[in-house]
Amino acid sequence: AYNSRDAKSIAAQFTENAQVMDEDGQSIEGRSNIEARFANVFKEFPKAKISIEISDLRQLSNEVAVEDGFSTASLSPEEPGIRSPYTAVHVKRDGKWLIASVRDFPAEIAEATAHENLSQLEWLVGHWFDESHEGRVETKCQWSEDGNYLLQEYAIKSSRGAVLKGTQRIAWDPQRRVIRSWAFDQSGAFTEA
């Protein structure tokens, strides 16, 4: 009904005193107001489309069911769809299931991936040398196979000939929301930063 832009058919799926609450907390009550709201949307956006993905449907009694899912709506074919969660309560009236209430929640905001968060350190990838009169540091850095970590191998050689080798893993910590690193050297020492 939505994709046909048929406000009357949409409204017929609701109870007489149904409530629709949008993601901003704006509430519309009553079948006739719901019909008018959708008619206005379709008048303003004649190519609006929606797809529904039901993630859970629980029948609480013979006459009440709760549906949770995601709707992906676009106001025109040129715009990408906006995916947002919703909850609908259905009630059975005279043998027919109708929607008593729908609550739309704010659109999902895609979190940056671990790789995207680490991309600011991509300049580290490569083979690096740092030399001074005190010694030489050689570092090799590459992305992990899954692209979620930067992996480094290092060798520190002092001017006296002593060599210390180790590895370092650099990652995005989603709980602390920071970049962290863990280094392990051949002596068994461990550092975290």
Side-chain angles (χ1 to χ4, degrees), residues 133-153:
H133 65 282
E134 294 176 5
R136 172 184 165 116
V137 177
E138 180 180 352
T139 305
K140 294 177 186 173
C141 183
Q142 65 184 20
W143 285 104
S144 62
E145 250 184 67
D146 62 8
N148 291 326
Y149 303 94
L150 286 169
L151 306 175
Q152 290 188 320
E153 294 180 10

Side-chain angles (χ1 to χ4, degrees), residues 166-184:
T167 61
Q168 182 178 43
R169 180 174 289 256
I170 302 171
W172 173 254
D173 183 337
Q175 288 184 327
R176 293 184 183 174
R177 305 189 63 72
V178 296
I179 293 174
R180 296 179 69 191
S181 66
W182 299 266
F184 307 87

